[in-house]
Amino acid sequence: MGKVIVVTSGKGGVGKTTSTAALGAALAQRNEKVVVVDFDVGLRNLDLVMGAERRVVYDLINVIQGDAKLTQALIRDKRMENLFLLPASQTRDKDNLTAEGVEKVIGELKKYFDWVICDSPAGIERGATLAMRHADIAVVVTNPEVSSVRDSDRIIGLLDSKTLKAERGERMEKHLLLTRYDAVRAERGDMLKVDDVLEILSIPLVGIIPESSDVLRASNVGAPVTLAEPRSAPAMAYFEAARRLAGEDIPVTIPEEKRGLLGKIFARRAA
Amino acid sequence: MTKVLTDDDRSIRIKGRSFLAVVLSPALPLDQWLARLDDLAARSAGFFLTRPVVLDVTELQIDRAQLKELLAELSARNVSIMGIEGARPSMMAPGMPPALKGGRPSGDIEVKQTEPVSGEVQTEPPRVEITEQPRPTLQSLVIKESVRSGQSVIFAEGDVTILGSVSSGAEVIAGGSVHIYGSLRGRAMAGSVGNTSARIFCRKLEAELVAIDGIYKMAEDLSPDLIGHPAQLWLEGDAILADKMN
């Protein structure tokens, strides 16, 4: 049986979808079978970031409502044969997600895949609670700023009360993924520092993804950053996070952008 | 014409208090139930006269007009309804007693019968016997983790101890003292049922709001040199005092 990861945050725009795609591609490069599932019904994005938007025929809602088989809705990645996408519906709304339907789909996916990664919508409503409901592991994506931290705190509370694991009295495994981190700005006090965020949220850190234009560029060409620019600093950080999720015990580092001496001087001046 | 509306020495106290109310649960058909009520009232004169009565309509399939009629019937019998439990919003109308929820069951209340025959000397005043009333014991609640944003811990029976932190946007309400072994970033309210000796203790004070026995202080009212330090807060008169702890 595969493991179910939910990538969640509460707040929107912190990098859930980007992180889902990057972690999915990173785990797939370890030769494990991975499916990324978009739960953002009505506002789907994962298909774009995965570069599969023109290949969507059936979606999660079709499968839940019995209009399509799971195998018909799964889209195999063109670059990696063990990476799949289950897209969300763009034309329906979140009311079409039912607890029984989601349970059935996740249960089936767990049989075929080593990793089922659920990309949660923002918010704390139906879509988000159903995305986290069947998870074994939660990746809480947080930006180093106060509103994102508070929303993550709220989500951690829900992970500990509204999930199947919590209802069975077990503990949900939770990991903090700090995204869009800029060491220079954190040092200057414009951003929260890693330790501040960790003190407030008090869950283990799985990775620090540096703020980088590589991430945006990868999204725009429709590829996870771990496939498009595997040598870039954010990609390295996602690879490290994936290794930790797979159970490896390695220290968390803050990967830095590799710039020449001139680049460093200009970066300082621009910042 | 000037009038001083605020008086810094006296703050408004908002307290919680629980009372034992008599609950009446009518059954259909209502005229038969009212007849039984009349029968009971005849045998124990004045039982409902001075008592707060809650009307439980959870099991009752009636509409707004019928509820209004029932209230009028009860009012004619000198039964004063203080609240209605289990009513659907469609049944309620302005002017009706407020809707109540969250009632906890207590023991049955026996109606002591008064003898209808006069001339006999009443040796004992009519009284209500409450069976199995729980003996009050000091209680405490221990939360082994952090209270996250959006969560609230409410424990009117005694002290609350939190082994983790209380996050921004979370709240802890205790009838007794509040002990927080992590940081207090949210709200803590101690002595919520009127306990002036309740205190708030925390390892790191960064609270949004603290209250003891209904008197509260906002974050900006707290002395800046306490912020970020271990502290305790208590009540003296109508003022919350705070001090660092080592």
Side-chain angles (χ1 to χ4, degrees), chain B residues 94-110:
Chain B
M96 281 191 189
L100 295 176
K101 55 184 177 185
R104 274 173 298 180
S106 180
D108 282 345
I109 294 178
E110 277 178 28

Side-chain angles (χ1 to χ4, degrees), chain B residues 23-125:
Chain B
V23 177
L24 279 179
S25 314
L28 289 174
L30 286 174
D31 49 345
Q32 285 182 23
W33 181 80
L34 284 167
R36 289 201 297 278
L37 185 74
D38 285 337
D39 183 45
L40 177 76
R43 280 181 288 126
S44 62
F47 176 77
F48 292 111
L49 265 183
T50 53
R51 253 167 247 290
V53 179
V54 170
L55 194 63
D56 179 4
V57 294
T58 316
E59 303 287 320
L60 213 56
Q61 295 298 321
I62 54 171
D63 59 18
R64 183 183 294 169
Q66 284 170 299
L67 179 61
K68 209 169 179 180
E69 204 175 305
L70 176 62
L71 288 169
E73 291 278 0
L74 289 169
S75 165
R77 287 166 175 77
N78 280 329
V79 180
S80 47
I81 305 291
M82 61 170 283
I84 301 177
E85 191 182 13
R88 297 183 301 278
S90 63
M91 286 163 68
M92 303 297 285
M96 281 191 189
L100 295 176
K101 55 184 177 185
R104 274 173 298 180
S106 180
D108 282 345
I109 294 178
E110 277 178 28
V111 181
K112 188 85 176 177
Q113 297 196 358
T114 48
E115 292 298 321
V117 196
S118 58
E120 197 179 317
V121 182
Q122 192 82 36
T123 50
E124 222 183 338

Side-chain angles (χ1 to χ4, degrees), chain A residues 70-82:
Chain A
L70 190 55
T71 44
Q72 291 175 297
L74 286 170
I75 302 168
R76 187 192 290 264
D77 191 86
K78 281 201 164 150
R79 295 146 297 209
M80 303 205 66
E81 59 168 20
N82 54 341

